[in-house]
Amino acid sequence: YDTKNKMSGTALSVNFSLTKRLVWFRRINRKNGAENYMIRAMIVDDNRMAREYFSQLVDWEEFGYELVCTAIDGESALIQFHRYHPELVITDIQMPNMDGIELAQRIRELSPRTVILFLSSYEEFSYARSAVKLGVSDYILKHETKAPQMIEKLLTVRRLLENKNREQRYVAEGYFQKLLQNSCQNVNFEEKTEIPLSYFQGKYDLTIIFQAHIFSALGECLGRKTAAADMDEMKKILYEDTAVLALVETMPYTWAIISVHKENPVSGNYRWKELLESCFFGSTFTLLLLCENASIENCINAYFKRLPLFGQVFFISNSMVIQNSFFKQKGSRNAGVSKEQLEKFFSAKEQGEYSLSQILDRAFLKVIHEQDFAGYEELFKICVEILASWDGKVIDDQKGGVFHAYDVLEEKNWMDAASLFCWVKERLFYLSDLLKEKRKRNWPGITYEILLYIYGHYNDSELTAEQIAGEFGVGINQLNVLAKKEFGCTVWKLLIQVRMEVAKRLLDTTNQRIVDISSQVGYSNIAYFSTAFRKYYQVSPQEYRKNQN
């Protein structure tokens, strides 16, 4: 239709109405951010010219459709349907091998949401109209359908599918939320939800999403927590895929996706993972394809059957797509080491028959190999309790301070079993070395406690020698006598020495501004800090850093 053609008033009216509909379609798409939302379509006809005509009649992509395939009869169409899972099927009625009526019935059993349009001639018109009553959405007259009429049908189908998706997702979210958060297996679904199973006919895939997060046992001990991905944002991302029926949260950092079965759900899971990680920058997700090509009831039962084994996902690296065969069917075991055994390494001079490394390796590698989540959790809690018991109680002169169980920058290592094992092993070795050094020095009386207190409070700009003496319930003169005997200087000079050593270490190992280093070592005035540094090292902080570079 263009201005060169002599169009009737009816044609003009149809064209003008269609233009308004196209404007509406594009506006709605922009508003919802749905430019990439493509409806998959398939054309089935044994007549080659008819297939080519309808394939080229409109620009399918312009109207949000992807013509994924064509087929010459019902049998080949059914094979293509399993492969591409189109949401719109336009099929001829009279075809060899399998006609359009049987094809429509088979597709209805597989996917009730799929829209089916019949291609009919005048002779089949009454037949096509009666088929609509049997569940076929509409019909297209072969010899009267031009581009405007076809576009009108496509826009109508699009609205129908969007309404179906919204309605079914609303129902499905509540349905699965109620089921998956229930601890019972083999429930009577229809009694439990008051929704007939026939509402979810067809075959589905069930995928579990795990967001990598700080190991729960460590988070509880140290008060750290990973921010969970926003549920609404996840829906915006995943609901772009029209095969996704529902996304529900089942546990903290764990979600379930129920989707209409596709030929290759693993590829779909990789795409979802990449989308989630690109939208939630810094977060990683592991996707488990738990059940595929199954009824809704079987998907739910598979979830409860495997639920006790979900902890095994902790034993693989983050950001992966795995399948149901990954799980090991083994029960939980007790940790291979006791708290009492570990405490011997941190309180006694003799370490016994086995080294710390032997004890840790044998215990941890056993539970990691067996993917024994409960055993790992028990073992790890023992180790963290040991670290926490020495927090702030040992001088860490290597770093210029006191020993702390963890550093916030180490959180990236707390999300999978292997990385966490390496981290806790390193921390225990480090603690063991500090305690060995303490025992080697054999500090007399309260001397070690004095130095420990200074290392723990040197960043306090208000700290004085009198306050340190008051902390230990002795006079300043008595405290200075003890300090001179062990360190060869007064307590105040000892405090300055610690501050200067820490400042020098920060200048050597970091790019922090000198004004920031000044405040970190207990000087609120940078000029006062520079004077003290020059007096101690015979060079200013600025000159020292320049010389190091």
Side-chain angles (χ1 to χ4, degrees), residues 99 103 145 177 183 220 299 313 340 411 415 458 481:
D99 63 18
L103 174 63
T145 300
Q177 194 79 49
S183 60
E220 292 170 7
C299 286
V313 174
E340 290 71 24
E411 289 184 5
M415 297 186 181
Y458 65 79
V481 169

Side-chain angles (χ1 to χ4, degrees), residues 233-479:
E233 289 299 318
M234 292 181 73
K235 287 181 180 179
K236 287 180 185 178
I237 297 165
L238 297 173
Y239 282 177
E240 285 289 326
D241 188 335
T242 55
V244 175
L245 181 61
L247 171 72
V248 296
E249 184 175 12
T250 60
M251 295 180 291
Y253 307 105
T254 307
W255 299 265
I257 298 180
I258 295 89
S259 57
V260 177
H261 176 63
K262 290 183 178 181
E263 182 186 24
N264 192 349
V266 174
S267 295
N269 281 9
Y270 272 107
R271 188 170 62 84
W272 292 340
K273 180 182 75 68
E274 290 165 3
L275 285 170
L276 289 170
E277 291 181 348
S278 65
C279 293
F280 294 99
F281 183 74
S283 296
T284 56
F285 298 85
T286 292
L287 273 63
L288 163 67
L289 181 57
L290 188 65
C291 191
E292 58 180 306
N293 197 22
S295 67
I296 285 293
E297 188 170 4
N298 286 341
C299 286
I300 301 300
N301 282 328
Y303 173 83
F304 286 115
K305 182 180 180 180
R306 297 297 189 183
L307 181 60
L309 305 178
F310 281 2
Q312 293 182 13
V313 174
F314 177 65
F315 295 98
I316 63 172
S317 298
N318 297 319
S319 188
M320 296 184 70
V321 172
I322 55 177
Q323 292 179 272
N324 190 29
S325 57
F326 159 80
F327 290 122
K328 291 187 178 181
Q329 296 284 2
K330 292 186 178 180
S332 298
R333 294 170 172 77
N334 294 326
V337 63
S338 68
K339 184 178 179 182
E340 290 71 24
Q341 283 178 292
L342 282 179
E343 283 179 338
K344 290 181 181 179
F345 293 94
F346 303 101
S347 59
K349 294 181 180 179
E350 298 296 329
Q351 292 190 346
E353 181 181 357
Y354 298 109
S355 68
L356 176 59
S357 182
Q358 284 178 290
I359 289 287
L360 292 176
D361 287 353
R362 290 172 63 186
F364 270 103
L365 293 181
K366 180 181 179 182
V367 293
I368 290 174
H369 175 71
E370 295 176 351
Q371 295 182 6
D372 179 5
F373 184 78
Y376 188 102
E377 190 172 41
E378 179 185 348
L379 178 58
F380 191 81
K381 283 181 178 179
I382 292 171
C383 294
V384 172
E385 286 175 6
I386 294 291
L387 292 173
S389 68
W390 288 99
D391 189 271
K393 297 179 181 178
V394 188
I395 295 172
D396 186 354
D397 53 5
Q398 296 180 34
K399 295 182 179 179
V402 295
F403 171 80
H404 291 295
Y406 78 101
D407 185 311
V408 70
L409 297 177
E410 297 167 334
E411 289 184 5
K412 62 181 182 295
N413 300 317
W414 298 352
M415 297 186 181
D416 67 82
S419 299
L420 197 53
F421 165 56
C422 292
W423 173 81
V424 77
K425 185 178 178 181
E426 184 276 331
R427 293 306 293 167
L428 287 171
F429 281 174
Y430 191 64
L431 173 60
S432 178
D433 289 342
L434 295 179
L435 291 174
K436 286 178 183 177
E437 184 63 28
K438 177 188 174 185
R439 287 193 290 268
K440 188 187 300 183
R441 294 287 297 272
N442 193 23
W443 299 89
I446 63 169
T447 307
Y448 185 82
E449 283 69 27
I450 294 171
L451 189 58
L452 181 65
Y453 186 84
I454 290 174
Y455 266 113
H457 297 82
Y458 65 79
N459 58 348
D460 181 1
S461 60
E462 303 295 326
L463 185 63
T464 64
E466 287 73 19
Q467 286 177 331
I468 298 173
E471 184 68 26
F472 292 94
V474 298
I476 186 63
N477 292 332
Q478 184 182 356
L479 190 64

Side-chain angles (χ1 to χ4, degrees), residues 213-214 218-220 222-228 252-253 411 414-415:
H213 60 281
I214 291 173
L218 183 59
E220 292 170 7
L222 304 180
R224 307 299 301 175
K225 186 177 180 181
T226 301
Y253 307 105
E411 289 184 5
W414 298 352
M415 297 186 181

Side-chain angles (χ1 to χ4, degrees), residues 507 512-519 526 529-530 541-542 545:
L507 288 169
Q512 295 183 59
R513 298 183 307 166
I514 292 175
V515 64
D516 295 329
I517 292 175
S518 170
S519 62
I526 189 172
F529 166 69
S530 295
Q542 294 83 353
R545 172 167 278 177

Side-chain angles (χ1 to χ4, degrees), residues 110-286:
L110 294 169
S111 175
R113 292 198 305 166
T114 298
V115 175
I116 301 172
L117 301 181
F118 271 160
L119 287 170
S120 72
S121 60
Y122 287 115
E123 295 78 13
E124 300 168 328
F125 181 66
S126 59
Y127 195 25
R129 291 185 64 182
S130 63
V132 173
K133 299 177 182 179
L134 300 176
V136 176
S137 300
D138 205 345
Y139 55 89
I140 297 172
L141 288 173
K142 287 185 179 181
H143 304 295
E144 286 191 355
T145 300
K146 306 298 180 185
Q149 288 82 10
M150 189 66 178
I151 292 170
E152 191 80 20
K153 291 287 186 185
L154 294 180
L155 292 175
T156 300
V157 168
R158 187 178 186 88
R159 277 207 318 279
L160 176 63
L161 280 171
E162 288 174 345
N163 289 336
K164 275 188 174 183
N165 285 344
R166 279 193 294 270
E167 175 192 346
Q168 196 166 25
R169 279 173 176 165
Y170 177 78
V171 174
E173 283 180 8
Y175 177 84
F176 295 118
Q177 194 79 49
K178 195 169 185 178
L179 287 176
L180 296 179
Q181 289 187 341
N182 190 294
S183 60
C184 301
Q185 285 185 249
N186 301 315
V187 295
N188 185 316
F189 298 105
E190 295 187 14
E191 288 182 5
K192 200 94 185 146
T193 61
E194 301 178 354
I195 297 174
L197 281 173
S198 59
Y199 191 85
F200 300 103
Q201 290 177 352
K203 300 297 183 180
Y204 296 88
D205 300 327
L206 175 61
T207 296
I208 309 301
I209 300 176
F210 301 95
Q211 180 186 358
H213 60 281
I214 291 173
F215 184 46
S216 55
L218 183 59
E220 292 170 7
C221 293
L222 304 180
R224 307 299 301 175
K225 186 177 180 181
T226 301
D230 183 81
M231 183 75 165
D232 291 335
E233 289 299 318
M234 292 181 73
K235 287 181 180 179
K236 287 180 185 178
I237 297 165
L238 297 173
Y239 282 177
E240 285 289 326
D241 188 335
T242 55
V244 175
L245 181 61
L247 171 72
V248 296
E249 184 175 12
T250 60
M251 295 180 291
Y253 307 105
T254 307
W255 299 265
I257 298 180
I258 295 89
S259 57
V260 177
H261 176 63
K262 290 183 178 181
E263 182 186 24
N264 192 349
V266 174
S267 295
N269 281 9
Y270 272 107
R271 188 170 62 84
W272 292 340
K273 180 182 75 68
E274 290 165 3
L275 285 170
L276 289 170
E277 291 181 348
S278 65
C279 293
F280 294 99
F281 183 74
S283 296
T284 56
F285 298 85
T286 292

